[in-house]
Amino acid sequence: MESDYGPFETLLTGVTDGVLLVTFNRPEVRNAINRQVQLDLRAVLETARADDAVGAVVLTGAGEKAFIAGADISQVAGYTKLTALDSDLQRLFDLVEEFPKPTIAAVNGFALGGGCEIAMACDIRIASQTARFGLPETALSVLPGAGGTQRLARIIGTGRAIELVLTGRMVDADEAERIGLVTAVTQPDELIDRAREIAATILARGPLATRLAKLVIRAGMDADQRTGQVVERLAQAVLYESEDKREGTAAFLGKRPPQFTGR
């Protein structure tokens, strides 16, 4: 089944087999993030959250050169301390991270600044061989302020994160995979198919279980291990009483595919 969201000024969207593909569509500026991109993406996420036809979201960029090459510098030039304190972009990327359905960043070129930050807010990142990641903000005497300093350190470790932020050095797809920034690297023409394959694998599993697993992992990152395990036990208690758990075990014992309902 195929359907379309929108239309949006800066995004292309479509739903196929439960996967919402969102394409940042400003190739003339390498898909740089401006205010309209933020408004459009927020609207897409709000709609997709309530859309039962959407089980997973894939983010990618239009064209071959960039996923997102950063923020629109013409707008950054006018930012003030109040812009930072309002932190609209940080809050938007928090929405991506907290989105209840699985999110996959399919990075197909430059993912710099805000592009790298939004990719890190996704649950899973895969990269084309052409992908390049970096946080170059210190060259403008600012820092990665949309969650970049915090997420990068949690994903690849403090030492590597400090080096990449302070130097602004870009890493290619192979290095990104080696340091754990992405989980897979593909040929450019296979990127979206690979993202869809990952999404399909997730969608074949219990939706309530995947949603709670994501929530528990995220919550545990901000707590000590003992607290994280308490949250894990509580989530498991919910799942043990769910219709999906009964269906999953019955299907396994009956040697048939499960028919999950998310309840």
Side-chain angles (χ1 to χ4, degrees):
M1 175 181 178
E2 295 191 8
S3 64
D4 289 321
Y5 280 41
F8 295 102
E9 184 177 329
T10 67
L11 304 176
L12 300 175
T13 58
V15 182
T16 304
D17 297 329
V19 180
L20 169 61
L21 178 63
V22 179
T23 303
F24 297 99
N25 188 36
R26 303 183 73 218
E28 70 282 1
V29 289
R30 296 190 177 184
N31 304 321
I33 298 174
N34 64 4
R35 180 62 178 166
Q36 191 60 49
V37 172
Q38 296 179 54
L39 293 172
D40 288 350
L41 182 58
R42 185 179 292 273
V44 167
L45 293 176
E46 289 175 353
T47 302
R49 176 186 291 267
D51 188 351
D52 291 339
V54 173
V57 177
V58 174
L59 302 181
T60 195
E64 300 178 355
K65 294 182 178 179
F67 173 70
I68 297 172
D72 191 322
I73 303 302
S74 65
Q75 292 192 359
V76 175
Y79 286 174
T80 69
K81 61 186 177 184
L82 296 180
T83 310
L85 292 173
D86 288 341
S87 195
D88 289 343
L89 198 59
Q90 190 181 89
R91 290 202 300 271
L92 176 60
F93 293 175
D94 286 348
L95 285 181
V96 175
E97 184 174 71
E98 296 163 4
F99 194 69
K101 302 170 184 180
T103 55
I104 300 170
V107 180
N108 56 313
F110 290 109
L112 306 178
C116 187
E117 289 178 300
I118 194 171
M120 291 190 293
C122 291
D123 299 319
I124 297 170
R125 289 161 296 284
I126 63 173
S128 160
Q129 282 284 358
T130 64
R132 299 292 184 273
F133 298 84
L135 295 168
E137 285 88 346
T138 53
L140 302 178
S141 198
V142 295
L143 54 75
T149 60
Q150 302 307 299
R151 291 191 177 99
L152 186 64
R154 285 166 169 76
I155 293 169
I156 68 171
T158 302
R160 284 196 176 103
I162 290 175
E163 185 258 326
L164 291 181
V165 171
L166 269 56
T167 65
R169 181 173 68 85
M170 282 193 289
V171 301
D172 62 18
D174 290 335
E175 183 176 359
E177 184 179 28
R178 188 167 65 251
I179 65 178
L181 185 56
V182 303
T183 57
V185 177
T186 75
Q187 294 300 314
D189 60 351
E190 298 173 356
L191 180 65
I192 300 303
D193 286 343
R194 179 61 178 137
R196 290 188 183 280
E197 287 174 7
I198 294 170
T201 299
I202 296 170
L203 292 177
R205 310 186 82 78
L208 187 58
T210 57
R211 180 171 181 172
L212 285 176
K214 171 177 170 173
L215 186 152
V216 168
I217 293 168
R218 294 287 192 193
M221 289 297 295
D222 294 325
D224 60 90
Q225 182 173 328
R226 185 64 62 189
T227 301
Q229 289 179 194
V230 170
V231 177
E232 182 182 78
R233 290 203 299 273
L234 294 173
Q236 190 75 297
V238 171
L239 291 171
Y240 277 176
E241 296 294 326
S242 70
E243 294 178 17
D244 275 358
K245 175 260 187 178
R246 288 190 286 274
E247 167 62 13
T249 53
F252 181 85
L253 294 172
K255 298 182 180 180
R256 60 173 176 82
Q259 299 294 319
F260 294 121
T261 61
R263 295 183 178 86

